[in-house]
Amino acid sequence: MGIAVSPQIHPQVAEFLEKPRQMLINGKWVNSISGKTFPTYNPATGEILAQVAEGDREDIEQAVKAARRAFDQGPWRRLTASERGRLIWKLADLLESHTEEFAYLESLDNGKPLTIARGADVPLAVDLFRYMAGWTTKIEGNTIPISVPYTPGAKYLAYTLREPVGVAGQIIPWNFPLLMAAWKLGPALASGCTVVLKPAEQTPLSALRLGELIMEAGFPEGVVNIVPGYGETAGAALAAHPKVDKIAFTGSTEVGKLIVHAATGNLKKVSLELGGKSPNVVFKDADLDSAIPGAASAIFFNQGQCCCAGSRLYVEKPIFDRVVEGVADHAKKINVGSGLDPETHMGPLVSQEQLSRVCGYLEAGFSEGATALAGGHKKGNKGYFVEPTVLVNTREDMKVVQEEIFGPVVVAMPFDDPEEILPRANDSDYGLAAAVWTRDIGKAHRMAEHLHAGTVWINCYNILDAALPFGGYKQSGWGREMGHEALNLYTQTKAICTRLS
Ligand code: NAI
Ligand code: MG
């Protein structure tokens, strides 16, 4: 294929896109059993970028067999923790040395600005792998003094081991394709699990290239298997598979619920990182020179396609006009264009489907009485671009205020005091993130305590780190990714008790 990219852009990327991409099963690159492929598109142009092997139930079957064998019989479990850590560290080094190539691949497949992929997505993925590599040698159990009242006088030695849960199925979305692969693979590999990873059908390329580096780093065959394909087929087969011990999912809340149902067959462990409608609260005592650009980037970063986007902007009344006009000014100055153009601040949405979804929300907002201080429309006729949008005259009962839009659209509403804002900020089925902007540290931390969210940012937004746990309250998910908490998702505790006398 390679039709949408000229070789001058990046020679290795052009070469990678030349041939249909295969899937990684048991250390080998193979076609799908059906022989079918599917296209992945360049969202800046709507043209086909590459053809990719289309995994389905039979391919998942093979991948799970390989992961099962690698976990149950392969050399992987016999590696020392230090050896496992070194492999993960080596993968991080390899990824880092291919930063430019991954940045191009990510920008082409997802649409995001090359500068962002180069400056954020790839380095964050590298850092995550290094952070998790360090954990392999620190996954420890405890020794536990036990009393056992019904065996008076007896002595015991009791301790716990933390063991890998086994074969992990991992289903990831398209908004940060490489980074989501890293968030999933890093802790699973650090824990000693084996994996079947299904990338999103919109953005399979960087995960497949990462698969090549995984093999180059020297991971044993079958430890990581990567099966691209659609959610309803490959994804559903993985979630329901009886030989998969754990399923980790990031995506829509709707599909998250399907995953829970699918997991009931063998009661596999489930972790979910789902949607959000995160409140971003600006008090009148905030430093507006940082709050205004902060509120703009909270929503517009990554084209608004962030599960933790600051999509409900609440501003204390006396400064409401100033803040929303400031955010609207930022919105109007954003260069929207192809991710490969160095002048671009915001790329296209990922797909035609996502463009239609976001435009549908804009229409719903306008028909319910919202007005746009900036943007409000699709941009151009080629590619999936939408204008950065600030909606005012919005009310809590509107669809645009209740539901996750997952595009560059913020709804802004005034409030009177901290007493009033807390219940409004918490009035959501979601609870992924929240932010507070104020110079009053007492107020900031009281708000932080009472906001129902897995992450609360104070005077900043979208600060994510490999060491900081991330995940949702309420319907935003189950479990925490990143930080050492992520290891809990991929390990289980065994209690061992020895009678000494
Ligand atoms: P989605 O939830 O359908 O897709 C995410 C992943 O799940 C993809 O890999 C997909 O192939 C897979 N999948 C889909 N149906 C499945 C099924 N029945 N069984 C197993 N796997 C399945 O999300 P979609 O349709 O791409 O986007 C819809 C909305 O979801 C967005 O507008 C946004 O609101 C939300 N979303 C949230 C994300 C997050 O980071 N929390 C990421 C992507 C989407
Ligand atoms: Mg879907």
Side-chain angles (χ1 to χ4, degrees), residues 60-83:
I60 290 290
E61 192 59 43
Q62 294 311 309
V64 172
K65 259 196 197 131
R68 198 69 268 167
R69 209 177 317 117
F71 186 80
D72 296 332
Q73 297 151 35
W76 178 238
R77 296 290 305 285
R78 294 192 294 274
L79 295 186
T80 63
S82 165
E83 287 166 334

Side-chain angles (χ1 to χ4, degrees), residues 328-347:
D329 276 348
H330 273 271
K332 288 174 197 157
K333 289 191 192 124
I334 290 174
N335 290 332
V336 180
S338 160
L340 295 186
D341 181 340
E343 301 298 312
T344 290
H345 303 131
M346 185 189 281

Side-chain angles (χ1 to χ4, degrees), residues 77 141-142 144 159-163 492-497:
R77 296 290 305 285
N142 299 312
I144 300 171
Y159 62 95
T160 56
L161 293 176
R162 283 180 66 199
E163 299 187 329
Q492 53 194 348
T493 300
K494 179 180 281 172
I496 296 163
C497 178

Side-chain angles (χ1 to χ4, degrees), residues 7 25 131 153 177 233 245 371 389 424 471:
I25 295 182
Y131 174 84
T233 51
D245 302 300
T371 50
T389 298
R424 286 174 69 190

Side-chain angles (χ1 to χ4, degrees), residues 78-155:
R78 294 192 294 274
L79 295 186
T80 63
S82 165
E83 287 166 334
R84 218 163 60 234
R86 270 178 277 161
L87 281 174
I88 301 172
W89 195 278
K90 181 148 183 215
L91 175 60
D93 284 346
L94 281 170
L95 179 58
E96 188 172 47
S97 70
H98 290 275
T99 295
E100 203 54 19
E101 188 188 338
F102 274 88
Y104 269 95
L105 211 47
E106 206 72 333
S107 175
L108 283 167
D109 209 11
N110 164 280
K112 67 179 65 202
L114 179 63
T115 48
I116 300 284
R118 183 193 284 137
D121 295 69
V122 184
L124 279 169
V126 169
D127 202 46
L128 188 288
F129 281 124
R130 290 206 177 118
Y131 174 84
M132 289 298 169
W135 268 111
T136 57
T137 47
K138 295 151 199 86
I139 300 175
E140 298 170 342
N142 299 312
T143 52
I144 300 171
I146 59 172
S147 306
V148 203
Y150 53 85
T151 58
K155 290 231 177 310

Side-chain angles (χ1 to χ4, degrees), residues 184-217:
K184 293 281 181 286
L185 291 170
L189 295 172
S191 302
C193 290
T194 61
V195 174
V196 177
L197 175 76
K198 193 204 81 67
E201 56 270 34
Q202 296 86 348
T203 55
L205 297 175
S206 55
L208 293 173
R209 181 69 185 101
L210 185 68
E212 295 183 345
L213 299 188
I214 287 169
M215 296 320 296
E216 192 180 330

